[in-house]
Amino acid sequence: MPSHLNKLIGVSAIFLVSACGGSSDDPAPSEPAPPEPNPPRQVEFDPSRCVQQAGTPYGQTVALQGNNMMVASADVDASAAGCKVLAQGGSAIDAAIAVQAVLGVTEPFGSGIGGGSVITYYDAASGKVRVFDGLSTAPAEVGGVDTIYKATAQDVSTTAPFNVCKSGLDEGESISSQQGNTNISGRAAGVPGTLAVLDMVHQAYGKTPWNALWDDAIDLARNGYPMSQYMYSTLYSDTGEYDDDGNPVSAGSAVSAWVNSAGTVKGAPRCSYPDINARYCEPSDATRQKPLAVGTTITNPELAASMEAVRDGGARAFYDPAGQIAPAIIARLTTDQLPCRSLLPSPGTPDAPAVASTIARIPSLMTAQDFGAYRAIERKPLVGKHFGMTIYTQPAPSFGGVVTLYNLGLMERKHLADTTFNGTDYLHLITEGSRLANADRRNVVGDPAYSNVNERVATLLSSPYLDTRAALITDTALAAVPEGATAEGIPAFAATAPAAFDPMALSGRATMLAGAQGASHDEDWNTTSNFAIVDGYGNALSMTTTINTHWGAHIEAAGIMINNAMSNFSAGAVGADVNGYEAYKRPRSSIAPAVAFDDQGRVRLVWGSAGGGPIPDYIVKTFVGHELYGMDLQAAMNADNFTGQNGTAQVEAGKPIAGEIANLISKYGNTAGNAQPTGLTSGLSGISVDYDADGMPVYRGAADYRRNGGANGY
């Protein structure tokens, strides 16, 4: 390390936001004034000072305090790698690359370079917040069908090596049930965007060379890391818990790849999938159900080689259609999945579901050229002012930012702070708000390049509309949650031309084609990964990264687990469904990393969460716990979870909060059908910022005790 980095140097101390974007209550505000000059702040760059948060992983109760720099993530090794980069003089995006690289090794079930990511970035020098979209996209070829669940001409071919997916299947008919085999197959894979978005932000804000950020991850992949308690739980349940969708898994049972919405059919155990089995499961288990024991060393030399190629050749080494990585992924997703096969068992019952004895092989329609065509996108931030704070978060196609700001707007109007945290009255208000927010976002949020999404979102987050929706929250729980309508000011759906879309515009395109909405699709739950970083220069980053559901498509290529993000598309017709399947389109997502500023324009909170569809509820829980109720950030994250994601009030099973269900029913008229316990495994991480008497920042880093992470900094 250069000797000058060991010195105490002055950098800006007070983080004043000048920002791109406007308030949720005013879709077209004037630009705020630029930040005023900041007083000097002394920061020491010394890797030997990096400290891991006490009690991590799984046992942390108090956030880690520091005055220089901080990283919080879902894996202790990833946080340590990020702190080392920061302590050597790196920026927040430099550390983010190192953190993501390690997560791709140690959390292959949650994220990696085979997935997609979004980044919310605060640049202290300019005082601006920028958001970047690296979500996975649909390939150019979608087979002439309007959902991934319908058979293409290739799927029904009787000519080898294609052959028919299912006996008697005709083109355009269902390959398999939604939430079934298709979701866990090559057909559900999207073009990965994580490396592209990291490269985009690094070009803007990187200080450390790209090729100096990968070695910790490469060493772990090549030399080994231990099977974590959390990774094990994604494959097998020793004591009884819940799967990705909140379905109960009995003690001593393997976790199935999927469960249908009726609970009558389960997919094969995850260890039955050959790529998962070969690296992460017990080789002596003839039933192909048991993972390696917790603590067992895992290596991935193929991933190490892929990361070495990316380290030395940059992101272009991954996206080059004529390179080594993209063609290897395409071969694994296409020809290696032939002949096409999707066999579902006859349904059982919810008490005795049938379990699939085979896994699906449904090839992707992706080509290597799709990799070469991929581009990350900078978008206009979604901004809201609630409870005296200004929050910058992700816009569409993420619905997480919309739900976060929407529910906070409702809770402000319903005076949430007058209730007891996680008490009956609190849970009534906040779950009713979540139910309303999720009902509205389903038919409004999708890829804004393909319809007037941004115009419609602006209405959802406007003061008049939130006033109207807040009035629906009364002393009696809603029996059914009404969706907003054009009568309440929501513009009608209108398809638009993607080529004319400006991602930095505040609203959508002009009306071209109106149409009815398609069926909604329930997003999966306990998935993805998140991390937060504040560097020694005052820059802040929150990034959520995902291969979609746990273990993605359950397919590994070049050592990389591949996403199944296309399962996030709805099943409605093209041109009518805001989240319908189309070439190059990005399916909506729940991920919404955020940065919040106080009334003086100073950074106050940098945070986000993993956890699938309920992600915005976890983000809201942490915000109100910390900001309204004065809880330590770690305590706010550890607090029991709730969601209204699927139209019902659901709370975290096995926790004290589950005892409130009876009170919700007796006091607020909920029923057993709309107030339930379920599995809600969040994956929060974040950094709070207080200021001492001299106005100098004091950081507190925290990571959800439900996962394998923790903060690291000083």
Side-chain angles (χ1 to χ4, degrees):
M1 182 177 66
S3 60
H4 70 278
L5 293 180
N6 287 314
K7 298 179 180 179
L8 295 177
I9 66 170
V11 297
S12 63
I14 299 180
F15 309 158
L16 294 168
V17 64
S18 174
C20 304
S23 165
S24 62
D25 291 349
D26 180 3
S30 58
E31 287 291 329
E36 297 190 8
N38 298 331
R41 166 181 162 232
Q42 299 298 311
V43 172
E44 183 176 357
F45 292 89
D46 180 1
S48 69
R49 295 193 61 193
C50 287
V51 176
Q52 184 168 305
Q53 183 184 2
T56 58
Y58 310 113
Q60 56 267 39
T61 58
V62 178
L64 173 67
Q65 183 171 320
N67 302 90
N68 293 271
M69 54 202 66
M70 190 68 63
V71 180
S73 83
D75 183 81
V76 290
D77 287 327
S79 295
C83 185
K84 182 167 71 173
V85 169
L86 296 181
Q88 291 173 332
S91 67
I93 184 58
D94 297 333
I97 293 167
V99 170
Q100 174 63 94
V102 172
L103 289 176
V105 178
T106 60
E107 276 200 338
F109 53 83
S111 75
I113 59 178
S117 305
V118 293
I119 296 172
T120 301
Y121 199 95
Y122 170 68
D123 173 40
S126 66
K128 291 187 179 295
V129 178
R130 300 170 70 183
V131 300
F132 302 89
D133 176 346
L135 292 171
S136 301
T137 65
E141 176 57 64
V142 295
V145 295
D146 53 17
T147 87
I148 67 169
Y149 305 104
K150 290 184 179 179
T152 68
Q154 173 180 298
D155 298 327
V156 302
S157 172
T158 58
T159 304
F162 300 106
N163 302 339
V164 69
C165 272
K166 290 196 302 185
S167 177
L169 186 68
D170 292 327
E171 187 175 352
E173 292 183 341
S174 175
I175 301 172
S176 68
S177 62
Q178 190 169 335
Q179 296 182 318
N181 276 348
T182 311
N183 283 4
I184 312 297
S185 75
R187 187 62 51 86
V191 185
T194 292
L195 279 173
V197 76
L198 288 172
D199 181 57
M200 172 182 273
V201 183
H202 186 258
Q203 288 189 42
Y205 297 114
K207 291 180 176 290
T208 306
W210 174 278
N211 63 5
L213 301 170
W214 295 85
D215 287 347
D216 281 355
I218 291 168
D219 287 345
L220 283 169
R222 197 171 296 284
N223 298 319
Y225 63 95
M227 166 71 76
S228 71
Q229 175 182 316
Y230 185 72
M231 187 195 297
Y232 181 97
S233 74
T234 70
L235 298 168
Y236 199 84
S237 175
D238 281 329
T239 58
E241 51 195 49
Y242 290 80
D243 68 9
D244 303 351
D245 297 312
N247 300 300
V249 181
S250 300
S253 297
V255 177
S256 293
W258 55 269
V259 180
N260 70 348
S261 56
T264 59
V265 181
K266 289 186 175 183
R270 285 186 168 142
C271 278
S272 294
Y273 285 75
D275 294 350
I276 294 175
N277 184 276
R279 198 178 305 282
Y280 304 102
C281 299
E282 177 54 58
S284 64
D285 177 22
T287 67
R288 298 171 69 86
Q289 295 190 42
K290 292 293 294 285
L292 297 168
V294 173
T296 303
T297 298
I298 301 168
T299 61
N300 192 338
E302 293 84 0
L303 178 57
S306 292
M307 289 193 295
E308 285 171 342
V310 169
R311 176 196 64 191
D312 300 336
R316 61 186 175 274
F318 180 85
Y319 291 99
D320 183 359
Q324 294 184 347
I325 299 175
I329 293 174
I330 295 301
R332 189 77 184 99
L333 292 175
T334 55
T335 55
D336 287 355
Q337 302 304 307
L338 295 170
C340 186
R341 180 181 71 193
S342 178
L343 302 175
L344 295 171
S346 298
T349 67
D351 291 333
V355 179
S357 59
T358 62
I359 64 173
R361 285 205 305 257
I362 307 175
S364 175
L365 303 175
M366 199 185 304
T367 68
Q369 284 66 42
D370 289 318
F371 277 69
Y374 184 89
R375 297 292 183 272
I377 298 173
E378 180 177 2
R379 299 189 185 276
K380 198 82 169 177
L382 196 61
V383 189
K385 295 181 179 179
H386 299 296
F387 297 104
M389 307 283 285
T390 302
I391 302 165
Y392 287 74
T393 185
Q394 290 287 324
S398 171
F399 70 78
V402 176
V403 171
T404 295
L405 298 182
Y406 185 119
N407 203 6
L408 287 176
L410 296 184
M411 294 306 97
E412 201 168 32
R413 288 161 171 79
K414 304 306 291 187
H415 307 291
L416 180 72
D418 293 341
T419 67
T420 300
F421 184 80
N422 268 0
T424 307
D425 299 338
Y426 169 99
L427 287 173
H428 168 66
L429 292 177
I430 208 160
T431 57
E432 290 291 280
S434 177
R435 295 173 72 197
L436 285 163
N438 279 286
D440 272 350
R441 63 88 179 163
R442 287 187 186 279
N443 288 332
V444 169
V445 181
D447 189 329
Y450 290 75
S451 68
N452 57 335
V453 169
N454 288 345
E455 179 186 358
R456 302 176 83 204
V457 165
T459 298
L460 292 188
L461 298 180
S462 67
S463 286
Y465 187 79
L466 290 176
D467 289 343
T468 300
R469 302 302 271 177
L472 296 176
I473 303 177
T474 67
D475 289 340
T476 302
L478 292 162
V481 187
E483 296 174 359
T486 54
E488 295 175 290
I490 300 176
F493 170 90
T496 59
F501 178 69
D502 176 6
M504 294 299 288
L506 284 171
S507 62
R509 308 273 46 86
T511 299
M512 292 178 59
L513 176 66
Q517 299 304 309
S520 67
H521 171 65
D522 291 342
E523 284 75 18
D524 297 281
W525 286 26
N526 306 327
T527 60
T528 303
S529 200
N530 188 87
F531 54 89
I533 300 170
V534 176
D535 65 25
Y537 311 100
N539 306 306
L541 171 150
S542 185
M543 174 170 160
T544 313
T545 176
T546 183
I547 58 170
N548 200 35
T549 65
H550 275 336
W551 299 99
H554 293 44
I555 297 171
E556 182 184 283
I560 304 162
M561 292 305 300
I562 306 301
N563 73 84
N564 65 334
M566 299 302 95
S567 67
N568 279 349
F569 280 120
S570 302
V574 170
D577 191 330
V578 69
N579 190 44
Y581 180 52
E582 297 184 60
Y584 302 113
K585 194 174 184 180
R586 299 172 193 229
R588 68 180 170 216
S589 173
S590 60
I591 58 182
V595 180
F597 299 82
D598 65 16
D599 58 4
Q600 298 180 54
R602 303 177 302 182
V603 170
R604 172 68 178 171
L605 191 59
V606 185
W607 85 117
S609 187
I615 281 174
D617 295 311
Y618 305 147
I619 291 171
V620 167
K621 176 201 74 170
T622 302
F623 177 87
V624 299
H626 184 259
E627 298 298 336
L628 272 64
Y629 293 88
M631 299 169 68
D632 177 82
L633 184 60
Q634 186 65 60
M637 290 181 181
N638 287 0
D640 302 348
N641 286 323
F642 69 86
T643 186
Q645 150 78 5
N646 287 332
T648 61
Q650 294 180 303
V651 298
E652 190 173 5
K655 301 292 179 69
I657 196 173
E660 291 294 334
I661 291 175
N663 297 333
L664 289 173
I665 292 173
S666 63
K667 183 172 183 178
Y668 287 106
N670 290 84
T671 67
N674 68 17
Q676 306 163 340
T678 191
L680 291 173
T681 305
S682 50
L684 289 148
S685 61
I687 302 164
S688 65
V689 189
D690 292 315
Y691 295 87
D692 64 19
D694 297 320
M696 299 297 105
V698 179
Y699 307 126
R700 290 179 173 85
D704 208 317
Y705 80 133
R706 297 166 181 85
R707 300 201 179 197
N708 196 56
N712 200 301
Y714 61 95

